[in-house]
Amino acid sequence: MKKAAKGQSLRFTLVDIQNWRNFTRARVPLRERVFLVGPNASGKSNFLDVFRYLHDIVSVGGGFREATGSRGGVSKLRSLAARGQQSQIKLLVQIGNDDDPAAWEYEIGFTQDNLRRPVLKYERVARAGENLFVRPDEQDESDPERLTQTFLEQVNVNRDFREVAEFLASVRYLHVVPQLIREPDRSVGRQNDPYGGDFLEQIARSQKPTREARLRRILDALRVAVPQLEDLQLWRDEVRGTPHLRGKYKHWRPQGAWQTEEDFSDGTLRLIGLLWAVLEGSGPLLLEEPELSLHPEVVRYLPQLLARVQRQSGRQVAISTHSKDLLEDEGIGLDEVLLLEPGSEGTVVRRADSLQEVKVLLEGGLSLADAVIPRTRPERAEQLALFDL
C-alpha cells in the first residue's frame, strides 16, 4: 500500500452511511484507533462491514455483484427504515491522514433492478476535492449494463485512482474462532479466512526469517498472558506435512514440555491470531470483540499493544467491543470512541467527544468504561442524576 504525504499511512478519516443495514444515516470522522461501543444488535458488526464490503469489491474474485450477493443482495443490505425515493444505499469514505484528511473520497450509491441484481445509481472518486469522474456518464446511459460494475474494480479504468483500490484491498477483518484452528482439515477450501481456518497455513507460507521474527515478537507479548511459555515455533507433522504451532512451557521436568495448538487455550490461540494479524499488514485492521476468551488483565493491555504497533506501522485499527476492561486504558481518547444507540429510525452513531453527558460523567470521576458501557436509558439516567444533569 502506498504512503500518503509526509510518510504517513493512509487511513479512513470519515465514513458516511445511508440506508445500510441498521443505519438510515451515520456520518462520523474516524481516528487511527476506533472503538465501537453499543448494546447487542445495535450494528457494530454492520458498521465494520461497510469497510469489508468496499474491500470485497476490489478483492480478487470479488466485485460489486459478488460483494452484494454474498450478503444476501440489496434487500438484505437496505435499512428497514429506508423509505420511498430516498431508499438507495449510499456509502462514502474519505481516505487520507492528519495532514490531508480528504486526500481521496470514494462514494457509491446502489439499488436493485427488476431481476434483483445490484445496480449502480451513483459512483464518484475525488482527489484533493476535485472529481475524477461521476457516474452515470453518457456511456452508462447508452449501455445500462455497465452499471452492474464499479469503475473501482476495473483495472482498465482505475489507473488514475488505483491507490484507492489498493488501499481498500489492504483492509483486513479478523474474528478468530479457535475451534477452526484446531480442526485437522481446517484449510480445505479456505484462503485468508478471517475466522482462522487457514491461519497456520498463512504462517507457514511466510518467509522463514519473517516468520521467525514475528513469532519471537509474539512470544514476548504472550508472556504477559502466558508467563510459562518459553518458546513458540512452526512445526510440521511427519505424516501429512500439516503445519502446527507448538509452544514450550516451563515444567517440573528439566527440558520443559511441548504442546501444539490442540492443547492451547482458546484465549492463547485468539491472542496469537490477533498479534500475527497486527504484525502482518499495513492496511486498516477490523477486529470483532478481541477480548473474547482473554483474561481481563490481558484485555486491559490490548489498547497499549495496538498503540505500540501503530507507532511503528501507522495502520488503523477499528474494534467492536462489549468490554469495560478494554476501555479502562487511560490512553484512549474520547475522539476514538463511537457510541451506537439503536432507535425506531435506525441506529445513531456519535463520537464520545461530541456528547456533553459523557464529559460530565468523566468530570464527575467515572472512568471512560463506566461512562459509555452500558448505555441503557435507566442506567444512564441514574448516572447523570448523581451529577445533577
Side-chain angles (χ1 to χ4, degrees), residues 33 35 300 303-304 307 310-311 326-337 368:
R33 293 187 305 181
F35 297 89
R300 294 188 186 102
Q304 298 177 44
Q310 285 178 303
R311 284 194 293 271
L326 192 145
L327 293 176
E328 289 291 348
D329 190 296
E330 294 181 355
I332 297 176
L334 288 180
D335 60 349
E336 296 180 299
V337 180
L368 174 62

Side-chain angles (χ1 to χ4, degrees), residues 33-273:
R33 293 187 305 181
V34 180
F35 297 89
L36 297 170
V37 180
N40 288 327
S42 59
K44 296 186 295 297
S45 297
N46 291 337
F47 188 94
L48 292 179
D49 195 43
V50 169
F51 309 108
R52 294 182 68 191
Y53 178 79
L54 294 174
H55 164 272
D56 290 351
I57 289 178
V58 299
S59 64
V60 176
F64 172 51
R65 292 182 64 175
E66 174 62 26
T68 307
S70 66
R71 290 165 171 79
V74 173
S75 60
K76 291 288 187 181
L77 291 176
R78 182 186 287 121
S79 171
L80 294 177
R83 294 183 177 89
Q85 298 298 316
Q86 305 302 317
S87 63
Q88 68 175 274
I89 300 168
K90 294 182 180 181
L91 304 174
L92 179 151
V93 290
Q94 288 183 353
I95 300 166
N97 55 39
D98 288 339
D99 293 330
D100 190 4
W104 292 99
E105 192 166 276
Y106 180 72
E107 186 173 8
I108 184 175
F110 60 96
T111 184
Q112 63 184 8
D113 62 16
N114 293 333
L115 298 176
R116 296 184 179 275
R117 299 182 306 171
V119 177
L120 290 172
K121 302 296 288 186
Y122 189 75
E123 187 183 21
R124 178 177 67 89
V125 168
R127 180 172 56 200
E130 182 178 344
N131 288 336
L132 298 186
F133 73 86
V134 177
R135 301 179 70 191
D137 56 23
E138 291 183 2
Q139 289 180 295
D140 294 326
E141 297 289 356
S142 62
D143 183 8
E145 194 68 20
R146 287 163 49 92
L147 293 173
T148 62
Q149 287 188 324
T150 64
F151 280 178
L152 185 68
E153 68 197 85
Q154 300 178 52
V155 294
N156 61 323
V157 294
N158 71 10
R159 179 176 179 178
D160 291 341
F161 54 96
R162 194 165 295 161
E163 186 175 8
V164 176
E166 291 174 349
F167 169 77
L168 295 175
S170 74
V171 173
R172 175 86 186 275
Y173 170 80
L174 187 72
H175 185 54
V176 170
V177 179
Q179 291 77 6
L180 284 179
I181 297 178
R182 297 190 186 99
E183 170 60 43
D185 297 319
R186 56 186 173 256
S187 64
V188 175
R190 296 187 175 99
Q191 188 171 1
N192 296 320
D193 180 19
Y195 305 104
D198 67 333
F199 171 57
L200 299 186
E201 284 71 16
Q202 291 178 39
I203 295 178
R205 287 194 297 266
S206 61
Q207 296 293 322
K208 184 177 180 180
T210 300
R211 177 171 66 242
E212 292 181 347
R214 288 178 183 170
L215 289 177
R216 284 195 299 269
R217 294 182 66 184
I218 290 172
L219 178 63
D220 290 339
L222 276 176
R223 288 191 176 118
V224 175
V226 192
Q228 298 85 4
L229 189 61
E230 290 187 321
D231 198 0
L232 187 65
Q233 301 176 358
L234 183 80
W235 168 76
R236 291 185 183 272
D237 68 50
E238 296 179 356
V239 178
R240 301 179 60 183
T242 304
H244 297 274
L245 275 180
R246 66 174 186 171
K248 185 178 182 181
Y249 288 81
K250 292 181 181 178
H251 198 273
W252 60 270
R253 295 170 180 164
Q255 301 303 318
W258 288 95
Q259 294 183 347
T260 68
E261 73 278 355
E262 295 177 356
D263 305 304
F264 290 175
S265 70
D266 286 1
T268 298
L269 284 176
R270 287 180 62 85
L271 194 54
I272 291 173

Side-chain angles (χ1 to χ4, degrees), residues 310-342:
Q310 285 178 303
R311 284 194 293 271
Q312 298 172 357
S313 69
R315 78 183 305 186
Q316 187 175 36
V317 181
I319 302 169
S320 71
T321 183
H322 290 283
S323 172
K324 284 188 176 182
D325 292 308
L326 192 145
L327 293 176
E328 289 291 348
D329 190 296
E330 294 181 355
I332 297 176
L334 288 180
D335 60 349
E336 296 180 299
V337 180
L338 299 185
L339 303 179
L340 280 64
E341 298 184 353

